[in-house]
Amino acid sequence: MLYQRLVNQMKLTIRKSIATTAAAVLVASIALVSVPAATAAAPVCTTKAGIETCKGTLANGATYEFRMPANFKGTMFFWEHGFKSTYPGVSKVPTGIEEITPASANTGSDITKQMLLAGYGLAAYDGTVKGLRGWNNTFRIEMLKEVIDTAMAKYPKIQKKVVYGSSQAGAIITPFVEKYPTYADSVGIMAGITPSPADALQSACDIFYILSVFADPTIKGCAAFGVKGVPGHMASLGELQKVVALLTAWSKNLGAPGLEFPAA
């Protein structure tokens, strides 16, 4: 009888040990699963002439920048830059924040100062990830969210958020506001491409084809764009130069004389 009690006690002890161990493993596994994803590093800030400039990196290493005026009135603008014309061995690869407001890098007409004087906060990021140098739409949707989250944590006084941009920004901002509808109070897209760059490129191919039929039969258009590597890049530039030359001539003679192609 005593022997049976001892055996039963040992079985109970073993079952408790197994249960305790299993619970510990479960808790550990839950803890591992619930570890938060990497987030943007806290920015490093300096202040000069009433403007606080903060710079930092996102979780994937892309750089971002905030500019906050002393007379901030509650609205912050988040700038999405467009495509960067870069190719190894042909043109310079952009580094860091090239522009923080519209046209500041493209035309030299920088409106950053005026926006800051008006009391608006500014934010931008370089969009670089996985070596794509800013040509990546899908990654930048989450990167934009991370920039806004970081700005809100840094500046709780932000009342309104304006997300705006040009060119490629159209393919980023549109799906961004569809996925995160509460993140932007206002949205502005200037000369933006469609959410799918493939659709915009197809439209461009159609234009090239029409011009080749009715204006300049030497234009190959998207047929030339299919060449890979640096030769393809240079061929594409050549096609664009043909179109620019054609449109420039039309701007001077209003399309006269009449269309010469296709031949009768």
Side-chain angles (χ1 to χ4, degrees), residues 64 68 76 78 89 132 194 201 212 219 225 234 244-245 252:
Y64 66 86
M68 181 62 67
M76 191 156 192
F78 295 84
L132 295 177
T194 60
L201 291 175
S212 71
I219 294 176
F225 294 174
M234 300 307 295
V244 170
K252 296 177 180 179

Side-chain angles (χ1 to χ4, degrees), residues 26-259:
L26 180 60
V27 170
S29 64
I30 292 175
L32 289 175
V33 172
S34 63
V35 172
T39 56
V44 177
C45 304
T46 58
T47 301
K48 182 178 180 180
I51 305 297
E52 181 180 62
T53 299
C54 298
K55 299 181 179 182
T57 57
L58 301 178
N60 60 24
T63 58
Y64 66 86
E65 182 174 327
F66 303 146
R67 295 186 191 178
M68 181 62 67
N71 64 333
F72 180 59
K73 299 178 181 178
T75 299
M76 191 156 192
F77 283 75
F78 295 84
W79 173 248
E80 279 286 331
H81 70 70
F83 284 114
K84 300 301 182 186
S85 55
T86 63
Y87 201 92
V90 177
S91 53
K92 183 180 179 181
V93 176
T95 56
I97 306 297
E98 287 192 307
E99 56 190 41
I100 198 166
T101 56
S104 60
N106 298 329
T107 66
S109 177
D110 192 345
I111 63 172
T112 303
K113 182 178 180 180
Q114 286 73 17
M115 293 182 72
L116 292 170
L117 287 173
Y120 295 120
L122 306 178
Y125 67 105
D126 65 13
T128 302
V129 62
K130 297 183 181 297
L132 295 177
R133 304 187 180 93
W135 288 71
N136 45 309
N137 293 355
T138 304
F139 290 109
R140 284 174 61 178
I141 294 172
E142 298 304 322
M143 293 167 74
L144 175 56
K145 177 181 181 296
E146 191 177 355
V147 170
I148 295 176
D149 286 337
T150 305
M152 293 297 295
K154 171 64 178 174
Y155 302 109
K157 56 186 177 180
I158 296 175
Q159 299 174 2
K160 294 183 179 180
K161 303 178 291 295
V162 178
V163 176
Y164 71 136
S166 64
S167 186
Q168 182 197 17
I172 300 166
I173 295 176
T174 300
F176 173 80
V177 296
E178 290 175 347
K179 186 173 183 179
Y180 302 108
T182 63
Y183 262 69
D185 297 287
S186 298
V187 173
I189 302 175
M190 298 170 282
I193 65 172
T194 60
S196 171
D199 294 341
L201 291 175
Q202 182 57 56
S203 298
C205 289
D206 295 340
I207 294 173
F208 276 113
Y209 177 73
I210 291 172
L211 292 176
S212 71
V213 171
F214 291 99
D216 183 353
T218 68
I219 294 176
K220 298 179 181 178
C222 288
F225 294 174
V227 181
K228 295 183 178 180
V230 174
H233 183 74
M234 300 307 295
S236 301
L237 292 178
E239 294 301 300
L240 293 173
Q241 288 172 350
K242 291 179 185 178
V243 173
V244 170
L246 178 64
L247 297 180
T248 300
W250 284 359
S251 70
K252 296 177 180 179
N253 61 21
L254 300 180
L259 296 175

